[in-house]
Amino acid sequence: TLFRSLSESVVWWQEEMGVSFKPDWKNKDVVLAFASMIGASIVLNLATKSALQAIDIPLILSFFQLIGSFLCCVIWRPTVIEQVKLIWREKRRALIDLSVAYLVGIYMTTLSLGRLTVAFTHIIKACEPLSTVLISKVFSSVNYSGGVYLSLAVTVLGVIIASASEVAFELFGFAVAMTSNLGFGVRNVLSKILLEQERFHHSGTSSHSSIPVSTQHNTGAHVVSIHKHKIRLDNFSLFAAISLVSAVLCLPLIVCRFDIHFFLNLNRQQATSILITTFANAVYQLSTLSILQKVSTLSHALTNSLKRILIIFSSFMYFGNSASGWSLVGAGVALFGMFLYITAKDDPLTAQKTVTAPFSEKVMLSLRNVLSISLFVIFFITVLYNTSLNPSNPYI
């Protein structure tokens, strides 16, 4: 009944708003990618929650998810190693900013799953578009329609209702989940700006650079010749680079807080949980990248909304968590607001419009650096604070 109502709502909204949600379901690769993304996401969240219940190590889980994603990217496309090297050489400052934001998003999400229920975490995660819109107002030249802001207001209202009636509400867990939204919002905006800058500068021969340029229109990847090498800046290579740098940024804390005895003393269940979360996250990320290459962003976004619904209901069945009526109402309102945001943002009648950038390029760079440093400081303080909450466990 739930899925039938959802599909009928999608069809009605398509007719009203003139948007299209028509993935090629006859294509086996598309079906497999959608199934892999949703299935891996459910397994990732349930396994992460189970692992954190057994041993509270969000930092370790985050690190292995990051390094696991990079290794899977290398297995999937071995040439990505050279691409990552060139991205680091040519786009180092932007890559570090993106990696800090992604590290904050991954760690805070993992930590929030340990502090809150899976369902409530994903209700809060429905507010991620709010962070994306607010950050984009500062760092990009995009102006959103009134429909986008209305949908975000509906989402926030749903989160407020769910939070007020949540049985297992915890302020620290709520703050951590909202911070993860900020991290992913910054990552989304800065990565989009970086890719669009490359598209602008490398769509032909730039007058500001002597680097010869060519564009591969059939793959959507931008190729820049640099000393007989080619940098392929697309979503895949950029994700691989971000994952690796995020893991490296996390490594000093791993070395300081964990010794060889920790890994030797892991039992079979704990080691298996770490491996499952690592593999599930890698499958989820690769499936998402594959889907983005095969379907429209609207189709992917709607599937992402369905994914959150399935995660919430799966967590209820798997962990046996109870939820009040108002919590379910709040979850429904938040997810409905998320659906409205997706369709309002992609509606051609209310599409986002380009306006003059709010600041000069020098000021924008300074703001980006300040935000990156602030996010890393928040990450470091959160790790220390989470440790102080449970001093008997040195491995947090």
Side-chain angles (χ1 to χ4, degrees):
T1 302
L2 172 66
F3 295 126
R4 183 168 63 251
S5 300
L6 181 61
S7 61
E8 291 174 354
S9 299
V10 169
V11 172
W12 174 82
W13 195 261
Q14 286 181 153
E15 295 174 352
E16 291 294 320
M17 302 297 292
V19 294
S20 176
F21 175 59
K22 297 179 180 179
D24 184 10
W25 296 113
K26 294 182 180 180
N27 190 327
K28 293 182 180 179
D29 292 339
V30 174
V31 175
L32 180 61
F34 271 111
S36 299
M37 186 193 80
I38 294 176
S41 180
I42 294 173
V43 172
L44 171 62
N45 283 271
L46 299 184
T48 300
K49 181 65 175 180
S50 300
L52 292 173
Q53 288 177 337
I55 178 170
D56 195 6
I57 48 171
L59 191 62
I60 281 288
L61 292 180
S62 301
F63 174 76
F64 276 97
Q65 287 178 19
L66 292 168
I67 200 67
S69 295
F70 172 73
L71 293 177
C72 285
C73 286
V74 172
I75 295 172
W76 190 272
R77 186 198 291 175
T79 57
V80 80
I81 296 179
E82 292 300 321
Q83 296 161 10
V84 168
K85 290 179 180 178
L86 291 172
I87 292 173
W88 172 257
R89 185 185 306 163
E90 299 298 319
K91 302 291 180 182
R92 185 175 305 172
R93 295 182 66 177
L95 183 58
I96 291 175
D97 292 337
L98 282 166
S99 301
V100 169
Y102 187 57
L103 173 60
V104 169
I106 287 289
Y107 174 74
M108 297 298 179
T109 299
T110 304
L111 180 57
S112 63
L113 287 171
R115 310 296 304 188
L116 306 170
T117 63
V118 175
F120 187 47
T121 297
H122 278 273
I123 293 172
I124 300 172
K125 294 288 290 177
C127 279
E128 184 178 320
L130 176 62
S131 300
T132 302
V133 169
L134 294 178
I135 295 297
S136 66
K137 291 291 291 183
V138 177
F139 288 97
S140 68
S141 56
V142 172
N143 187 25
Y144 292 94
S145 66
V148 170
Y149 294 112
L150 178 61
S151 66
L152 293 175
V154 173
T155 303
V156 172
L157 176 63
V159 172
I160 292 174
I161 294 174
S163 301
S165 54
E166 173 64 26
V167 177
F169 179 84
E170 184 189 77
L171 184 59
F172 177 61
F174 178 84
V176 165
M178 289 299 292
T179 306
S180 73
N181 289 338
L182 176 62
F184 283 126
V186 173
R187 190 278 309 265
N188 294 339
V189 172
L190 295 185
S191 61
K192 183 177 180 179
I193 291 174
L194 179 60
L195 291 171
E196 287 182 348
Q197 286 176 345
E198 291 301 302
R199 183 178 298 112
F200 175 77
H201 290 297
H202 303 316
S203 58
T205 303
S206 174
S207 60
H208 300 285
S209 174
S210 60
I211 299 175
V213 177
S214 63
T215 304
Q216 293 182 335
H217 294 284
N218 58 333
T219 61
H222 307 285
V223 181
V224 184
S225 301
I226 303 177
H227 305 299
K228 299 181 181 180
H229 294 285
K230 291 182 178 180
I231 174 173
R232 183 179 180 181
L233 186 57
D234 57 6
N235 285 325
F236 188 90
S237 57
L238 184 59
F239 171 73
I242 291 172
S243 298
L244 177 61
V245 176
S246 297
V248 172
L249 291 173
C250 186
L251 188 59
L253 279 173
I254 296 290
V255 174
C256 291
R257 301 204 59 79
F258 299 90
D259 52 28
I260 190 64
H261 298 291
F262 167 79
F263 296 98
L264 294 176
N265 292 331
L266 287 174
N267 57 42
R268 180 177 298 180
Q269 180 184 2
Q270 294 167 344
T272 302
S273 297
I274 294 175
L275 291 176
I276 290 175
T277 57
T278 301
F279 179 73
N281 181 69
V283 172
Y284 168 71
Q285 299 293 352
L286 292 177
S287 300
T288 300
L289 291 172
S290 176
I291 288 172
L292 287 172
Q293 294 177 353
K294 293 180 171 66
V295 302
S296 67
T297 55
L298 176 60
S299 299
H300 174 264
L302 288 172
T303 306
N304 207 39
S305 298
L306 176 61
K307 176 202 73 177
R308 292 205 188 279
I309 295 174
L310 293 176
I311 290 175
I312 289 173
F313 279 92
S314 298
S315 68
F316 283 145
M317 292 186 293
Y318 187 80
F319 295 108
N321 300 127
S322 59
S324 65
W326 281 109
S327 292
L328 296 177
V329 170
V333 172
L335 293 172
F336 180 67
M338 186 177 178
F339 175 75
L340 292 179
Y341 167 79
I342 294 166
T343 51
K345 189 168 69 71
D346 284 79
D347 176 27
L349 299 178
T350 59
Q352 54 198 31
K353 300 178 181 179
T354 302
V355 296
T356 306
F359 305 106
S360 65
E361 184 177 350
K362 185 176 182 180
V363 174
M364 298 280 281
L365 181 61
S366 300
L367 286 174
R368 195 181 70 187
N369 291 337
V370 169
L371 181 59
S372 178
I373 294 172
S374 300
L375 284 174
F376 192 78
V377 170
I378 291 173
F379 163 73
F380 186 77
I381 292 176
T382 303
V383 172
L384 297 181
Y385 180 72
N386 189 49
T387 303
S388 69
L389 293 178
N390 190 3
S392 61
N393 181 9
Y395 299 120
I396 294 182

